[in-house]
Amino acid sequence: MCRWLAYAGTPVLLDDVLYQPDHSLIDQSLHSRMGMETTNGDGFGIGWYTPEADSPAVVRDTGPAWNNRNLREIAQHVRSPLFFAHIRASTGTAVQQTNCHPFRHGRWMWMHNGAINEFDRLRRELCLAVDPGLFSRIEGSTDSEVMFFLALTFGLDDDPPGAVARMAGFVERTGREQGVRHPLQMTVAVSDGDRTWAFRYSSEGASRSLFYSTRFDALRVLHPDVTFPRGLSEESRLIVSEPLSSLAGAWNEVPEGSYGAVRPDSDILRPFEPQPA
């Protein structure tokens, strides 16, 4: 599968999050502790928003993240209030740049860990459900990108949680009609540059790991000697496939079958269930 993180809050250097923690995403690309694979070396991607642009910048590459000099250069010089990072372990589709996450359409970014089981069997029917006006924007061959464009088709612009629920419902219905017992496994992050949503769900009720950070003001009280939370607002949040450190009280598991939203005014955490498309 894959590992990913999403950050929203006080603008920070990407390096502070991607490289500096003890169990950073770069470390996870070689030594994942909670993923299906220890090594995630089938490509990587980062995407970030800035106040000056209406759409996010996205940089993706097919090589491993741990030795990419361009990634290190970008991370040491880019500061952003909202960014995604993803390291890939392919579930069968080709290792190519267009298959690396995050995926972008307009102001939206999307990344995924998991799989549509037996995607090769279901691909045609799933792709035929994508809005014809969007279909030509699909560049790669992954189930993850098809999920993104299905969510766009099912109303992501107007209702992100509902659109993802309808996407999940459509994938499950299609899979079960084709005899696939557990069609969907997913942790997903999606953002429009203002708000970020994260989803943890699987058809079998045994989803891949997902965590969110404790409020940074509370962390400063628990760990006054740790430097990273200093200067970050209480609204800053990290959502990660696995914890970036072993600090006591720093990480909270997203419950099975749940979704959360990080918003400027308030955060939410609610149950998630697929819906009919």
Side-chain angles (χ1 to χ4, degrees):
M1 300 291 177
C2 308
R3 304 279 83 185
W4 59 257
L5 69 79
Y7 172 83
T10 303
V12 294
L13 278 177
L14 274 58
D15 185 81
D16 289 343
V17 179
L18 295 183
Y19 285 90
Q20 299 309 315
D22 293 338
H23 189 47
S24 68
L25 196 68
I26 305 304
D27 181 65
Q28 291 175 36
S29 66
L30 274 170
H31 307 295
S32 172
R33 299 168 185 167
M34 304 179 73
M36 293 292 290
E37 296 84 14
T38 301
T39 303
N40 297 270
D42 294 329
F44 70 86
I46 53 173
W48 67 93
Y49 293 90
T50 64
E52 296 79 20
D54 294 331
S55 62
V58 173
V59 174
R60 302 181 290 178
D61 197 271
T62 57
W66 63 77
N67 67 352
N68 191 283
R69 295 178 65 184
N70 290 330
L71 176 60
R72 190 64 189 254
E73 184 75 10
I74 291 169
Q76 290 177 338
H77 292 84
V78 169
R79 187 179 298 272
S80 173
L82 201 166
F83 62 88
F84 284 5
H86 187 281
I87 51 176
R88 185 171 184 245
S90 172
T91 56
T93 50
V95 178
Q96 60 191 46
Q97 193 176 87
T98 54
N99 283 346
C100 295
H101 311 220
F103 302 101
R104 173 182 61 191
H105 179 74
R107 69 183 188 274
W108 292 100
M109 273 201 305
W110 171 284
M111 59 185 176
H112 166 233
N113 173 36
I116 296 176
N117 292 324
E118 300 192 45
F119 178 59
D120 286 348
R121 289 177 53 195
L122 309 181
R123 182 201 304 266
R124 181 177 183 274
E125 188 167 351
L126 295 177
C127 286
L128 286 173
V130 173
D131 186 312
L134 295 170
F135 184 81
S136 64
R137 303 301 299 273
I138 298 176
E139 296 182 321
S141 58
T142 65
D143 50 358
S144 304
E145 190 176 17
V146 172
M147 290 166 63
F148 179 30
F149 278 84
L150 284 171
L152 288 164
T153 299
F154 295 147
L156 189 63
D157 283 330
D158 300 319
D159 177 17
V164 176
R166 289 185 286 273
M167 176 277 294
F170 182 71
V171 170
E172 287 198 323
R173 190 192 78 186
T174 302
R176 286 169 177 156
E177 287 175 350
Q178 297 294 325
V180 180
R181 184 180 178 194
H182 298 305
L184 185 59
Q185 172 71 244
M186 71 175 203
T187 65
V188 162
V190 60
S191 180
D192 61 0
D194 183 34
R195 300 160 294 173
T196 300
W197 293 264
F199 301 81
R200 184 181 184 218
Y201 175 79
S202 62
S203 303
E204 64 267 46
S207 302
R208 302 293 179 255
S209 57
L210 193 64
F211 297 83
Y212 64 95
S213 61
T214 298
R215 287 168 52 119
F216 286 113
D217 54 344
L219 278 181
R220 283 190 287 271
V221 173
L222 287 172
H223 304 282
D225 55 331
V226 176
T227 59
F228 176 66
R230 294 175 189 169
L232 300 184
S233 71
E234 62 186 41
E235 293 183 348
S236 299
R237 293 288 186 275
L238 275 163
I239 307 169
V240 297
S241 293
E242 57 187 81
L244 306 185
S245 70
S246 57
L247 288 175
W251 304 100
N252 311 276
E253 185 173 15
V254 175
E256 177 70 41
S258 297
Y259 80 93
V262 179
R263 306 179 297 186
D265 49 348
S266 63
D267 301 337
I268 62 170
L269 183 62
R270 295 176 179 169
F272 176 82
E273 292 185 4
Q275 299 176 7

